[in-house]
């Protein structure tokens, strides 16, 4: 089970109860009490009632949870929000939390993948779905030759050969005799990259094509929902938690097949950022 990020929450008590429920640590409340130098009964009063931790206690708890600097700050602001005695002060801390949440809810931070291509090579790499498919596809033992890749992807061997040569030139694929091997496994685009539009367009076009194949393991969903802006932020965080789990799972998964993931969650309202 993928553990949710602290940024997925707006209430520190809900966050702590969540950690307790997913069995983050055995004897969770006792450990929280020890970390914050208070009694077990007080921890229960906080998590089950209207009592709140002091900031000094919250800081010790955040250290115990091994939160990084931004996560720790966010946790403390959740406590400040809960302790705030006026609507104006609550709004102040809510805005601080939203700002820090948005800063940390970037896919590149979850993917942990460096950008390694020159601007020219990057533009070519993202000009077609084929380059990344070959780059990752060669990791699969049964797809480590030009001919096997061409058959699997239903592309001519000439086109595959040309694309593979480009990948080799940029250290993304290595050639060992007639066998191919992946070089650098991951690259990632910034959200403001001029190539980001092409990347998303390429894979969404391929997703549309896959609708006609009707393969039993494919999953497609489209829908429109009306919801609050605060819940929209929470759902975005949920999706990023799922992606974080996806990255970790794929990193440890044996190379046997190729799948594409497209995730879209966006507003239909103009000027609703």
């Amino acid at each position: 089970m993928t553990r949710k990020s602290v940024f997925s929450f707006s209430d520190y008590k809900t966050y702590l109860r969540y950690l307790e429920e997913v069995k983050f640590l055995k004897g969770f409340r006792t450990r929280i009490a020890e970390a914050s130098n208070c009694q077990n009964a007080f921890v229960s009063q906080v998590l089950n009632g209207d009592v709140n931790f002091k900031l000094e206690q919250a800081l010790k708890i955040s250290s115990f949870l091994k939160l990084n600097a931004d996560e720790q700050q966010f946790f403390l602001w959740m406590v400040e929000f809960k302790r705030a005695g006026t609507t104006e002060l609550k709004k102040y801390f809510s805005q601080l939390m939203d700002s820090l949440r948005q800063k940390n809810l970037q896919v590149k931070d979850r993917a942990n993948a460096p950008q390694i291509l020159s601007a020219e090579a990057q533009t070519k790499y993202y000009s077609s779905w084929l380059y990344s498919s070959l780059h990752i596809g060669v990791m699969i033992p049964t797809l480590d030759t030009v001919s096997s890749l061409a058959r699997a992807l239903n592309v001519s061997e000439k086109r595959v050969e040309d694309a593979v040569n480009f990948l080799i030139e940029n250290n993304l694929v290595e050639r060992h005799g007639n066998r191919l091997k992946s070089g650098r496994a991951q690259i990632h685009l910034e959200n403001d990259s001029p190539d980001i539009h092409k990347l998303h367009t390429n894979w969404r076009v391929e997703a549309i094509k896959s609708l006609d194949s009707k393969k039993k393991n494919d999953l497609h969903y489209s829908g429109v929902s009306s919801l609050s802006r605060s819940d929209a932020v929470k759902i975005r965080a949920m999706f990023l938690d799922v992606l974080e789990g996806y990255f970790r799972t794929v990193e440890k998964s044996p190379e046997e097949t190729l799948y594409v993931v497209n995730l879209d969650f966006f507003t239909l309202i103009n000027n609703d950022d």
Side-chain angles (χ1 to χ4, degrees):
M1 183 183 204
T2 301
R3 185 156 61 91
K4 294 180 183 178
S5 161
V6 65
F7 301 109
S8 302
F9 298 84
S10 297
D11 186 314
Y12 79 92
K13 297 184 183 184
T14 303
Y15 172 59
L16 292 176
R17 286 195 296 265
Y18 164 76
L19 294 181
E20 181 180 33
E21 289 170 3
V22 297
K23 298 181 180 179
F24 173 56
L25 282 174
K26 186 177 181 180
F28 183 73
R29 296 196 181 194
T30 299
R31 290 171 179 256
I32 288 291
E34 292 173 350
S36 57
N37 295 325
C38 65
Q39 299 297 317
N40 283 18
F42 180 74
V43 173
S44 293
Q45 289 174 3
V46 170
L47 297 185
N48 299 330
D50 297 328
V51 181
N52 287 293
F53 288 121
K54 296 178 181 179
L55 286 181
E56 293 83 358
Q57 294 169 325
L59 182 61
K60 291 178 180 178
I61 291 171
S62 66
S63 297
F64 162 71
L65 295 175
K66 294 182 171 56
L67 302 181
N68 64 33
D70 280 357
E71 291 170 338
Q72 186 177 68
Q73 181 66 80
F74 189 83
F75 182 79
L76 292 176
W77 280 341
M78 284 198 293
V79 175
E80 291 271 38
F81 174 84
K82 204 73 172 177
R83 293 176 59 87
T86 65
T87 301
E88 183 179 12
L89 189 56
K90 284 185 178 295
K91 182 178 179 181
Y92 173 76
F93 284 116
S94 178
Q95 290 173 340
L96 290 177
M97 288 159 57
D98 285 344
S99 177
L100 191 57
R101 181 187 286 115
Q102 290 299 326
K103 172 190 171 184
N104 282 271
L105 294 185
Q106 299 296 326
V107 175
K108 68 183 179 66
D109 296 327
R110 306 299 186 92
N112 194 29
Q115 183 175 324
I116 59 174
L117 295 179
S118 67
E120 182 180 359
Q122 178 177 283
T123 296
K124 184 170 182 178
Y125 182 92
Y126 290 108
S127 68
S128 169
W129 63 274
L130 183 61
Y131 295 107
S132 55
S133 298
L134 297 173
H135 175 202
I136 304 302
V138 296
M139 297 180 183
I140 301 172
T142 57
L143 297 180
D144 63 351
T145 65
V146 169
S147 58
S148 62
L149 286 164
R151 286 193 302 271
L153 300 176
N154 196 27
V155 178
S156 71
E157 289 193 21
K158 174 63 167 61
R159 189 179 175 194
V160 171
E161 183 66 42
D162 291 342
V164 164
N165 287 337
F166 163 77
L167 295 172
I168 292 174
E169 291 172 4
N170 287 276
N171 301 314
L172 297 174
V173 168
E174 300 172 358
R175 192 191 299 272
H176 300 270
N178 68 333
R179 301 288 178 180
L180 301 171
K181 179 182 178 182
S182 180
R184 294 164 174 166
Q186 280 193 321
I187 59 175
H188 183 79
L189 279 179
E190 299 288 343
N191 287 337
D192 58 354
S193 168
D195 297 308
I196 197 74
H197 181 270
K198 192 63 177 176
L199 166 67
H200 292 309
T201 299
N202 286 339
W203 286 119
R204 280 152 182 79
V205 168
E206 294 305 310
I208 291 171
K209 290 179 182 178
S210 74
L211 289 171
D212 292 328
S213 66
K214 297 181 179 179
K215 295 176 182 176
K216 64 179 181 179
N217 288 329
D218 287 354
L219 175 64
H220 299 281
Y221 173 79
S222 297
V224 178
S225 303
S226 61
L227 69 167
S228 70
R229 290 181 175 84
S230 61
D231 282 338
V233 173
K234 291 178 184 177
I235 290 173
R236 184 175 184 270
M238 287 166 54
F239 286 149
L240 283 165
D241 284 333
V242 170
L243 283 176
E244 185 176 15
Y246 164 80
F247 295 134
R248 287 201 298 262
T249 299
V250 168
E251 184 179 10
K252 299 176 183 177
S253 183
E255 288 81 11
E256 297 173 352
T257 186
L258 282 177
Y259 267 75
V260 175
V261 57
N262 289 329
L263 176 62
D264 302 295
F265 181 64
F266 56 94
T267 181
L268 290 174
I269 308 300
N270 290 333
N271 302 317
D272 189 24
D273 296 326

